Amino acid sequence: MVTSGESSTSAAEMLYDLLVDNEDLAGFLGDLASISTDQVGPGGATHCGVLLERHRRNVVVGWSSPEARQLDETQAGFDAGPCLDAQRTSTLIRVPDVRYEARWPAYMAVVRESGIRSILAVPLTLSGAGVAAMNFYTSDPAGFDDADIERARQHAALASRALSVAVRIAKESEEAADRRRAMESRTAIDVAVGVIMAQNRCRQEEAFDILQKASNNRNLKLRTLAEELVGSIGQQAPITSFDS
């Protein structure tokens, strides 16, 4: 018999492996949803979806099956449903039988057509990095009992820690990519300013003003216009060198 402590250790190890094996948030969320189906609900009959909404970023969805994907994306489209309420209120939400559920009527109509009968929505805690929740679905009425709820809470606590790390890694990667793009843009602009200075025998500030006005007049991004200008004198687009 597997004890609760052994089960938690195993789940923690799996979540650690997910962090190691995935290079992006979407892949992490998909794998998280897949392994979570074994933690909660009827064995072999549970679907799981994970919704992550980051500040100033798009909603990211992970799923264990096409059914979970469709239901989570539909919920996001309606902007209403148990998973979104679990996110927003940090409250676990159980729907014992969707046939008699009066909340979220538009979304429930879609769920009933899918053959799903029970839903369990569990919030994940991300410490200010956004909001997230896991949706568990099953075709069994009253498919999630009190023991499932306790397992879901324990699993969500571990998943929250792993997802927090995944979000932090993604944020740092995105910021590094943003800095790289900014440096590449700066290189092209600096070279173009040098060309204008040479052509017009003017100071750097005046050359930059000329480039910026031309950018506004032509409704082109400054970097695009700078690369065009460098190309017009027979040179390739400037390349920014980065230490490896």
Side-chain angles (χ1 to χ4, degrees):
M1 178 178 179
V2 178
T3 66
S4 175
E6 290 172 340
S7 177
S8 296
T9 301
S10 176
E13 290 173 347
M14 287 190 293
L15 290 168
Y16 175 79
D17 288 341
L18 296 190
L19 287 171
V20 173
D21 294 339
N22 284 282
E23 297 182 355
D24 58 51
L25 267 178
F28 176 84
L29 290 178
D31 286 348
L32 174 60
S34 294
I35 69 168
S36 297
T37 60
D38 296 328
Q39 307 296 317
V40 179
T46 302
H47 307 278
C48 180
V50 184
L51 265 69
L52 167 65
E53 183 175 350
R54 298 170 59 197
H55 300 316
R56 296 182 295 277
R57 297 280 180 178
N58 293 332
V59 173
V60 185
V61 181
W63 55 86
S64 66
S65 65
E67 293 86 351
R69 175 183 184 178
Q70 180 181 359
L71 290 171
D72 273 18
E73 289 183 344
T74 299
Q75 184 171 179
F78 281 125
D79 195 30
C83 193
L84 294 177
D85 277 11
Q87 282 183 354
R88 293 161 180 167
T89 65
S90 299
T91 303
L92 184 146
I93 297 175
R94 174 166 52 173
V95 180
D97 195 326
V98 301
R99 292 173 293 185
Y100 310 111
E101 178 56 65
R103 293 170 292 181
W104 323 289
Y107 177 61
M108 281 298 121
V110 175
V111 176
R112 293 181 190 112
E113 290 295 323
S114 73
I116 292 297
R117 289 292 174 261
S118 301
I119 301 175
L120 184 65
V122 189
L124 301 176
T125 304
L126 301 184
S127 304
V131 291
M134 309 178 77
N135 252 347
F136 294 96
Y137 305 97
T138 180
S139 56
D140 297 347
F144 303 107
D145 58 22
D146 291 343
D148 286 312
I149 289 179
E150 181 58 30
R151 282 193 293 270
R153 292 188 192 278
Q154 294 177 3
H155 182 63
L158 292 172
S160 293
R161 293 167 63 182
L163 181 55
S164 294
V165 174
V167 170
R168 185 165 65 248
I169 292 171
K171 181 174 182 291
E172 291 173 354
S173 177
E174 290 158 358
E175 288 176 347
D178 289 344
R179 287 193 296 271
R180 186 184 185 99
R181 284 191 292 269
M183 291 175 67
E184 290 172 344
S185 294
R186 188 72 255 172
T187 298
I189 293 167
D190 286 345
V191 173
V193 166
V195 172
I196 295 172
M197 290 173 65
Q199 291 177 338
N200 294 272
R201 300 183 182 278
C202 62
R203 292 181 294 111
Q204 181 179 2
E205 294 82 0
E206 294 172 330
F208 181 79
D209 286 342
I210 292 171
L211 184 66
Q212 192 168 48
K213 288 177 182 177
S215 170
N216 292 335
N217 291 337
R218 295 183 56 186
N219 195 27
L220 286 176
K221 290 183 178 180
L222 204 58
R223 176 182 176 177
T224 302
L225 181 59
E227 290 176 346
E228 281 189 8
L229 175 59
V230 175
S232 71
I233 60 172
Q235 301 296 319
Q236 293 182 341
I239 299 174
T240 304
S241 297
F242 296 93
D243 291 335
S244 57

PDB file of all heavy atoms in Angstrom, residues 107-140:
ATOM      1  N   TYR A 107     -21.773  28.181 -20.376  1.00  0.00           N
ATOM      2  CA  TYR A 107     -20.701  27.186 -20.357  1.00  0.00           C
ATOM      3  C   TYR A 107     -21.244  25.811 -19.991  1.00  0.00           C
ATOM      4  O   TYR A 107     -20.849  24.795 -20.591  1.00  0.00           O
ATOM      5  CB  TYR A 107     -19.619  27.612 -19.365  1.00  0.00           C
ATOM      6  CG  TYR A 107     -18.508  26.596 -19.221  1.00  0.00           C
ATOM      7  CD1 TYR A 107     -17.727  26.236 -20.312  1.00  0.00           C
ATOM      8  CD2 TYR A 107     -18.245  25.987 -17.995  1.00  0.00           C
ATOM      9  CE1 TYR A 107     -16.707  25.307 -20.189  1.00  0.00           C
ATOM     10  CE2 TYR A 107     -17.223  25.055 -17.863  1.00  0.00           C
ATOM     11  CZ  TYR A 107     -16.462  24.719 -18.958  1.00  0.00           C
ATOM     12  OH  TYR A 107     -15.466  23.792 -18.850  1.00  0.00           O
ATOM     13  N   MET A 108     -22.139  25.748 -19.030  1.00  0.00           N
ATOM     14  CA  MET A 108     -22.708  24.453 -18.617  1.00  0.00           C
ATOM     15  C   MET A 108     -23.453  23.768 -19.764  1.00  0.00           C
ATOM     16  O   MET A 108     -23.461  22.540 -19.871  1.00  0.00           O
ATOM     17  CB  MET A 108     -23.635  24.638 -17.422  1.00  0.00           C
ATOM     18  CG  MET A 108     -22.920  24.777 -16.099  1.00  0.00           C
ATOM     19  SD  MET A 108     -21.967  23.299 -15.667  1.00  0.00           S
ATOM     20  CE  MET A 108     -20.323  23.976 -15.529  1.00  0.00           C
ATOM     21  N   ALA A 109     -24.069  24.565 -20.636  1.00  0.00           N
ATOM     22  CA  ALA A 109     -24.777  23.981 -21.775  1.00  0.00           C
ATOM     23  C   ALA A 109     -23.802  23.226 -22.675  1.00  0.00           C
ATOM     24  O   ALA A 109     -24.102  22.133 -23.175  1.00  0.00           O
ATOM     25  CB  ALA A 109     -25.502  25.074 -22.563  1.00  0.00           C
ATOM     26  N   VAL A 110     -22.612  23.782 -22.859  1.00  0.00           N
ATOM     27  CA  VAL A 110     -21.586  23.117 -23.663  1.00  0.00           C
ATOM     28  C   VAL A 110     -21.080  21.866 -22.954  1.00  0.00           C
ATOM     29  O   VAL A 110     -20.886  20.809 -23.575  1.00  0.00           O
ATOM     30  CB  VAL A 110     -20.418  24.085 -23.941  1.00  0.00           C
ATOM     31  CG1 VAL A 110     -19.285  23.370 -24.681  1.00  0.00           C
ATOM     32  CG2 VAL A 110     -20.897  25.285 -24.749  1.00  0.00           C
ATOM     33  N   VAL A 111     -20.856  21.956 -21.647  1.00  0.00           N
ATOM     34  CA  VAL A 111     -20.352  20.814 -20.879  1.00  0.00           C
ATOM     35  C   VAL A 111     -21.330  19.644 -20.942  1.00  0.00           C
ATOM     36  O   VAL A 111     -20.933  18.488 -21.119  1.00  0.00           O
ATOM     37  CB  VAL A 111     -20.099  21.219 -19.413  1.00  0.00           C
ATOM     38  CG1 VAL A 111     -19.676  20.006 -18.592  1.00  0.00           C
ATOM     39  CG2 VAL A 111     -19.016  22.295 -19.339  1.00  0.00           C
ATOM     40  N   ARG A 112     -22.609  19.932 -20.809  1.00  0.00           N
ATOM     41  CA  ARG A 112     -23.609  18.854 -20.846  1.00  0.00           C
ATOM     42  C   ARG A 112     -23.578  18.114 -22.174  1.00  0.00           C
ATOM     43  O   ARG A 112     -23.724  16.894 -22.228  1.00  0.00           O
ATOM     44  CB  ARG A 112     -25.000  19.442 -20.586  1.00  0.00           C
ATOM     45  CG  ARG A 112     -25.189  19.990 -19.171  1.00  0.00           C
ATOM     46  CD  ARG A 112     -26.594  20.545 -18.945  1.00  0.00           C
ATOM     47  NE  ARG A 112     -26.648  21.255 -17.679  1.00  0.00           N
ATOM     48  CZ  ARG A 112     -26.807  22.567 -17.561  1.00  0.00           C
ATOM     49  NH1 ARG A 112     -26.967  23.320 -18.660  1.00  0.00           N
ATOM     50  NH2 ARG A 112     -26.834  23.136 -16.373  1.00  0.00           N
ATOM     51  N   GLU A 113     -23.386  18.854 -23.263  1.00  0.00           N
ATOM     52  CA  GLU A 113     -23.328  18.226 -24.583  1.00  0.00           C
ATOM     53  C   GLU A 113     -22.096  17.347 -24.737  1.00  0.00           C
ATOM     54  O   GLU A 113     -22.086  16.414 -25.534  1.00  0.00           O
ATOM     55  CB  GLU A 113     -23.319  19.314 -25.664  1.00  0.00           C
ATOM     56  CG  GLU A 113     -24.637  20.063 -25.823  1.00  0.00           C
ATOM     57  CD  GLU A 113     -25.755  19.164 -26.324  1.00  0.00           C
ATOM     58  OE1 GLU A 113     -25.473  18.279 -27.155  1.00  0.00           O
ATOM     59  OE2 GLU A 113     -26.903  19.345 -25.868  1.00  0.00           O
ATOM     60  N   SER A 114     -21.061  17.613 -23.958  1.00  0.00           N
ATOM     61  CA  SER A 114     -19.808  16.864 -24.081  1.00  0.00           C
ATOM     62  C   SER A 114     -19.861  15.496 -23.416  1.00  0.00           C
ATOM     63  O   SER A 114     -18.997  14.650 -23.653  1.00  0.00           O
ATOM     64  CB  SER A 114     -18.662  17.670 -23.461  1.00  0.00           C
ATOM     65  OG  SER A 114     -18.756  17.657 -22.041  1.00  0.00           O
ATOM     66  N   GLY A 115     -20.857  15.274 -22.540  1.00  0.00           N
ATOM     67  CA  GLY A 115     -20.935  14.014 -21.818  1.00  0.00           C
ATOM     68  C   GLY A 115     -20.253  14.045 -20.458  1.00  0.00           C
ATOM     69  O   GLY A 115     -20.326  13.076 -19.698  1.00  0.00           O
ATOM     70  N   ILE A 116     -19.582  15.142 -20.137  1.00  0.00           N
ATOM     71  CA  ILE A 116     -18.979  15.291 -18.812  1.00  0.00           C
ATOM     72  C   ILE A 116     -20.086  15.514 -17.786  1.00  0.00           C
ATOM     73  O   ILE A 116     -21.047  16.233 -18.040  1.00  0.00           O
ATOM     74  CB  ILE A 116     -17.986  16.477 -18.802  1.00  0.00           C
ATOM     75  CG1 ILE A 116     -16.772  16.158 -19.674  1.00  0.00           C
ATOM     76  CG2 ILE A 116     -17.551  16.823 -17.383  1.00  0.00           C
ATOM     77  CD1 ILE A 116     -15.948  14.981 -19.195  1.00  0.00           C
ATOM     78  N   ARG A 117     -19.917  14.905 -16.598  1.00  0.00           N
ATOM     79  CA  ARG A 117     -20.948  15.029 -15.576  1.00  0.00           C
ATOM     80  C   ARG A 117     -20.459  15.697 -14.297  1.00  0.00           C
ATOM     81  O   ARG A 117     -21.235  16.315 -13.588  1.00  0.00           O
ATOM     82  CB  ARG A 117     -21.532  13.636 -15.241  1.00  0.00           C
ATOM     83  CG  ARG A 117     -22.381  13.069 -16.349  1.00  0.00           C
ATOM     84  CD  ARG A 117     -23.671  13.872 -16.523  1.00  0.00           C
ATOM     85  NE  ARG A 117     -24.456  13.452 -17.676  1.00  0.00           N
ATOM     86  CZ  ARG A 117     -24.458  14.061 -18.840  1.00  0.00           C
ATOM     87  NH1 ARG A 117     -23.689  15.137 -19.023  1.00  0.00           N
ATOM     88  NH2 ARG A 117     -25.189  13.637 -19.837  1.00  0.00           N
ATOM     89  N   SER A 118     -19.170  15.562 -13.975  1.00  0.00           N
ATOM     90  CA  SER A 118     -18.648  16.159 -12.742  1.00  0.00           C
ATOM     91  C   SER A 118     -17.407  16.986 -13.045  1.00  0.00           C
ATOM     92  O   SER A 118     -16.606  16.629 -13.913  1.00  0.00           O
ATOM     93  CB  SER A 118     -18.275  15.083 -11.718  1.00  0.00           C
ATOM     94  OG  SER A 118     -19.389  14.289 -11.387  1.00  0.00           O
ATOM     95  N   ILE A 119     -17.264  18.085 -12.296  1.00  0.00           N
ATOM     96  CA  ILE A 119     -16.095  18.967 -12.449  1.00  0.00           C
ATOM     97  C   ILE A 119     -15.550  19.315 -11.073  1.00  0.00           C
ATOM     98  O   ILE A 119     -16.319  19.548 -10.128  1.00  0.00           O
ATOM     99  CB  ILE A 119     -16.466  20.276 -13.187  1.00  0.00           C
ATOM    100  CG1 ILE A 119     -17.031  19.978 -14.584  1.00  0.00           C
ATOM    101  CG2 ILE A 119     -15.255  21.198 -13.305  1.00  0.00           C
ATOM    102  CD1 ILE A 119     -17.531  21.222 -15.310  1.00  0.00           C
ATOM    103  N   LEU A 120     -14.246  19.357 -10.969  1.00  0.00           N
ATOM    104  CA  LEU A 120     -13.592  19.839  -9.757  1.00  0.00           C
ATOM    105  C   LEU A 120     -12.546  20.864 -10.188  1.00  0.00           C
ATOM    106  O   LEU A 120     -11.623  20.532 -10.943  1.00  0.00           O
ATOM    107  CB  LEU A 120     -12.923  18.685  -9.009  1.00  0.00           C
ATOM    108  CG  LEU A 120     -12.276  19.024  -7.667  1.00  0.00           C
ATOM    109  CD1 LEU A 120     -13.330  19.465  -6.662  1.00  0.00           C
ATOM    110  CD2 LEU A 120     -11.498  17.831  -7.127  1.00  0.00           C
ATOM    111  N   ALA A 121     -12.697  22.100  -9.742  1.00  0.00           N
ATOM    112  CA  ALA A 121     -11.779  23.179 -10.091  1.00  0.00           C
ATOM    113  C   ALA A 121     -10.964  23.548  -8.858  1.00  0.00           C
ATOM    114  O   ALA A 121     -11.527  23.850  -7.802  1.00  0.00           O
ATOM    115  CB  ALA A 121     -12.540  24.397 -10.606  1.00  0.00           C
ATOM    116  N   VAL A 122      -9.636  23.521  -9.006  1.00  0.00           N
ATOM    117  CA  VAL A 122      -8.738  23.703  -7.867  1.00  0.00           C
ATOM    118  C   VAL A 122      -7.786  24.866  -8.151  1.00  0.00           C
ATOM    119  O   VAL A 122      -7.047  24.829  -9.147  1.00  0.00           O
ATOM    120  CB  VAL A 122      -7.917  22.419  -7.608  1.00  0.00           C
ATOM    121  CG1 VAL A 122      -7.158  22.540  -6.296  1.00  0.00           C
ATOM    122  CG2 VAL A 122      -8.818  21.190  -7.607  1.00  0.00           C
ATOM    123  N   PRO A 123      -7.781  25.891  -7.304  1.00  0.00           N
ATOM    124  CA  PRO A 123      -6.870  27.024  -7.548  1.00  0.00           C
ATOM    125  C   PRO A 123      -5.423  26.651  -7.281  1.00  0.00           C
ATOM    126  O   PRO A 123      -5.118  25.802  -6.451  1.00  0.00           O
ATOM    127  CB  PRO A 123      -7.354  28.075  -6.542  1.00  0.00           C
ATOM    128  CG  PRO A 123      -7.964  27.280  -5.428  1.00  0.00           C
ATOM    129  CD  PRO A 123      -8.584  26.073  -6.081  1.00  0.00           C
ATOM    130  N   LEU A 124      -4.519  27.296  -8.016  1.00  0.00           N
ATOM    131  CA  LEU A 124      -3.082  27.163  -7.805  1.00  0.00           C
ATOM    132  C   LEU A 124      -2.542  28.512  -7.342  1.00  0.00           C
ATOM    133  O   LEU A 124      -2.983  29.557  -7.823  1.00  0.00           O
ATOM    134  CB  LEU A 124      -2.379  26.724  -9.091  1.00  0.00           C
ATOM    135  CG  LEU A 124      -2.844  25.393  -9.686  1.00  0.00           C
ATOM    136  CD1 LEU A 124      -2.126  25.124 -11.005  1.00  0.00           C
ATOM    137  CD2 LEU A 124      -2.609  24.246  -8.717  1.00  0.00           C
ATOM    138  N   THR A 125      -1.602  28.506  -6.444  1.00  0.00           N
ATOM    139  CA  THR A 125      -1.057  29.732  -5.857  1.00  0.00           C
ATOM    140  C   THR A 125       0.279  30.065  -6.494  1.00  0.00           C
ATOM    141  O   THR A 125       1.209  29.255  -6.438  1.00  0.00           O
ATOM    142  CB  THR A 125      -0.876  29.569  -4.339  1.00  0.00           C
ATOM    143  OG1 THR A 125      -2.126  29.189  -3.755  1.00  0.00           O
ATOM    144  CG2 THR A 125      -0.408  30.869  -3.712  1.00  0.00           C
ATOM    145  N   LEU A 126       0.387  31.270  -7.099  1.00  0.00           N
ATOM    146  CA  LEU A 126       1.601  31.637  -7.830  1.00  0.00           C
ATOM    147  C   LEU A 126       2.330  32.835  -7.240  1.00  0.00           C
ATOM    148  O   LEU A 126       3.236  33.364  -7.872  1.00  0.00           O
ATOM    149  CB  LEU A 126       1.259  31.921  -9.297  1.00  0.00           C
ATOM    150  CG  LEU A 126       0.624  30.771 -10.066  1.00  0.00           C
ATOM    151  CD1 LEU A 126       0.438  31.163 -11.522  1.00  0.00           C
ATOM    152  CD2 LEU A 126       1.473  29.517  -9.969  1.00  0.00           C
ATOM    153  N   SER A 127       1.958  33.284  -6.077  1.00  0.00           N
ATOM    154  CA  SER A 127       2.696  34.349  -5.378  1.00  0.00           C
ATOM    155  C   SER A 127       2.880  35.590  -6.237  1.00  0.00           C
ATOM    156  O   SER A 127       4.000  36.081  -6.415  1.00  0.00           O
ATOM    157  CB  SER A 127       4.060  33.827  -4.914  1.00  0.00           C
ATOM    158  OG  SER A 127       3.910  32.686  -4.103  1.00  0.00           O
ATOM    159  N   GLY A 128       1.801  36.089  -6.798  1.00  0.00           N
ATOM    160  CA  GLY A 128       1.857  37.339  -7.545  1.00  0.00           C
ATOM    161  C   GLY A 128       2.299  37.225  -8.979  1.00  0.00           C
ATOM    162  O   GLY A 128       2.364  38.227  -9.693  1.00  0.00           O
ATOM    163  N   ALA A 129       2.609  36.017  -9.446  1.00  0.00           N
ATOM    164  CA  ALA A 129       3.084  35.848 -10.827  1.00  0.00           C
ATOM    165  C   ALA A 129       1.934  35.627 -11.804  1.00  0.00           C
ATOM    166  O   ALA A 129       2.167  35.380 -12.980  1.00  0.00           O
ATOM    167  CB  ALA A 129       4.051  34.676 -10.897  1.00  0.00           C
ATOM    168  N   GLY A 130       0.712  35.707 -11.339  1.00  0.00           N
ATOM    169  CA  GLY A 130      -0.452  35.441 -12.174  1.00  0.00           C
ATOM    170  C   GLY A 130      -1.453  34.609 -11.393  1.00  0.00           C
ATOM    171  O   GLY A 130      -1.322  34.422 -10.175  1.00  0.00           O
ATOM    172  N   VAL A 131      -2.466  34.120 -12.087  1.00  0.00           N
ATOM    173  CA  VAL A 131      -3.468  33.253 -11.465  1.00  0.00           C
ATOM    174  C   VAL A 131      -3.611  31.997 -12.308  1.00  0.00           C
ATOM    175  O   VAL A 131      -3.468  32.026 -13.536  1.00  0.00           O
ATOM    176  CB  VAL A 131      -4.835  33.954 -11.315  1.00  0.00           C
ATOM    177  CG1 VAL A 131      -4.770  35.057 -10.280  1.00  0.00           C
ATOM    178  CG2 VAL A 131      -5.304  34.520 -12.651  1.00  0.00           C
ATOM    179  N   ALA A 132      -3.888  30.877 -11.638  1.00  0.00           N
ATOM    180  CA  ALA A 132      -3.998  29.609 -12.351  1.00  0.00           C
ATOM    181  C   ALA A 132      -4.927  28.683 -11.580  1.00  0.00           C
ATOM    182  O   ALA A 132      -5.171  28.865 -10.382  1.00  0.00           O
ATOM    183  CB  ALA A 132      -2.629  28.954 -12.523  1.00  0.00           C
ATOM    184  N   ALA A 133      -5.442  27.692 -12.279  1.00  0.00           N
ATOM    185  CA  ALA A 133      -6.281  26.678 -11.643  1.00  0.00           C
ATOM    186  C   ALA A 133      -6.285  25.432 -12.506  1.00  0.00           C
ATOM    187  O   ALA A 133      -6.003  25.487 -13.710  1.00  0.00           O
ATOM    188  CB  ALA A 133      -7.711  27.185 -11.436  1.00  0.00           C
ATOM    189  N   MET A 134      -6.586  24.308 -11.858  1.00  0.00           N
ATOM    190  CA  MET A 134      -6.698  23.026 -12.555  1.00  0.00           C
ATOM    191  C   MET A 134      -8.158  22.622 -12.591  1.00  0.00           C
ATOM    192  O   MET A 134      -8.868  22.746 -11.597  1.00  0.00           O
ATOM    193  CB  MET A 134      -5.886  21.946 -11.828  1.00  0.00           C
ATOM    194  CG  MET A 134      -4.470  22.333 -11.519  1.00  0.00           C
ATOM    195  SD  MET A 134      -3.587  21.038 -10.612  1.00  0.00           S
ATOM    196  CE  MET A 134      -3.259  19.910 -11.967  1.00  0.00           C
ATOM    197  N   ASN A 135      -8.600  22.142 -13.747  1.00  0.00           N
ATOM    198  CA  ASN A 135      -9.951  21.620 -13.908  1.00  0.00           C
ATOM    199  C   ASN A 135      -9.880  20.108 -14.069  1.00  0.00           C
ATOM    200  O   ASN A 135      -9.194  19.610 -14.980  1.00  0.00           O
ATOM    201  CB  ASN A 135     -10.606  22.211 -15.165  1.00  0.00           C
ATOM    202  CG  ASN A 135     -11.685  23.216 -14.830  1.00  0.00           C
ATOM    203  OD1 ASN A 135     -12.128  23.336 -13.700  1.00  0.00           O
ATOM    204  ND2 ASN A 135     -12.119  23.956 -15.835  1.00  0.00           N
ATOM    205  N   PHE A 136     -10.578  19.385 -13.235  1.00  0.00           N
ATOM    206  CA  PHE A 136     -10.697  17.936 -13.386  1.00  0.00           C
ATOM    207  C   PHE A 136     -12.111  17.630 -13.878  1.00  0.00           C
ATOM    208  O   PHE A 136     -13.090  18.144 -13.345  1.00  0.00           O
ATOM    209  CB  PHE A 136     -10.435  17.226 -12.058  1.00  0.00           C
ATOM    210  CG  PHE A 136      -9.028  17.366 -11.562  1.00  0.00           C
ATOM    211  CD1 PHE A 136      -8.703  18.352 -10.633  1.00  0.00           C
ATOM    212  CD2 PHE A 136      -8.026  16.541 -12.034  1.00  0.00           C
ATOM    213  CE1 PHE A 136      -7.400  18.495 -10.175  1.00  0.00           C
ATOM    214  CE2 PHE A 136      -6.717  16.673 -11.582  1.00  0.00           C
ATOM    215  CZ  PHE A 136      -6.407  17.655 -10.654  1.00  0.00           C
ATOM    216  N   TYR A 137     -12.203  16.780 -14.901  1.00  0.00           N
ATOM    217  CA  TYR A 137     -13.491  16.413 -15.496  1.00  0.00           C
ATOM    218  C   TYR A 137     -13.647  14.887 -15.492  1.00  0.00           C
ATOM    219  O   TYR A 137     -12.676  14.161 -15.721  1.00  0.00           O
ATOM    220  CB  TYR A 137     -13.574  16.869 -16.962  1.00  0.00           C
ATOM    221  CG  TYR A 137     -13.331  18.331 -17.222  1.00  0.00           C
ATOM    222  CD1 TYR A 137     -12.078  18.793 -17.620  1.00  0.00           C
ATOM    223  CD2 TYR A 137     -14.368  19.255 -17.123  1.00  0.00           C
ATOM    224  CE1 TYR A 137     -11.850  20.129 -17.907  1.00  0.00           C
ATOM    225  CE2 TYR A 137     -14.154  20.601 -17.403  1.00  0.00           C
ATOM    226  CZ  TYR A 137     -12.905  21.033 -17.796  1.00  0.00           C
ATOM    227  OH  TYR A 137     -12.692  22.360 -18.071  1.00  0.00           O
ATOM    228  N   THR A 138     -14.874  14.436 -15.286  1.00  0.00           N
ATOM    229  CA  THR A 138     -15.159  13.019 -15.461  1.00  0.00           C
ATOM    230  C   THR A 138     -16.600  12.849 -15.918  1.00  0.00           C
ATOM    231  O   THR A 138     -17.452  13.710 -15.660  1.00  0.00           O
ATOM    232  CB  THR A 138     -14.934  12.222 -14.157  1.00  0.00           C
ATOM    233  OG1 THR A 138     -15.232  10.853 -14.380  1.00  0.00           O
ATOM    234  CG2 THR A 138     -15.814  12.740 -13.025  1.00  0.00           C
ATOM    235  N   SER A 139     -16.861  11.761 -16.614  1.00  0.00           N
ATOM    236  CA  SER A 139     -18.221  11.486 -17.088  1.00  0.00           C
ATOM    237  C   SER A 139     -19.076  10.835 -16.008  1.00  0.00           C
ATOM    238  O   SER A 139     -20.268  10.595 -16.219  1.00  0.00           O
ATOM    239  CB  SER A 139     -18.175  10.572 -18.323  1.00  0.00           C
ATOM    240  OG  SER A 139     -17.471   9.378 -18.019  1.00  0.00           O
ATOM    241  N   ASP A 140     -18.495  10.560 -14.833  1.00  0.00           N
ATOM    242  CA  ASP A 140     -19.251   9.950 -13.733  1.00  0.00           C
ATOM    243  C   ASP A 140     -19.958  11.020 -12.917  1.00  0.00           C
ATOM    244  O   ASP A 140     -19.321  11.974 -12.455  1.00  0.00           O
ATOM    245  CB  ASP A 140     -18.322   9.176 -12.795  1.00  0.00           C
ATOM    246  CG  ASP A 140     -17.631   8.018 -13.487  1.00  0.00           C
ATOM    247  OD1 ASP A 140     -18.056   7.661 -14.610  1.00  0.00           O
ATOM    248  OD2 ASP A 140     -16.668   7.483 -12.922  1.00  0.00           O
TER     249      ASP A 140
END
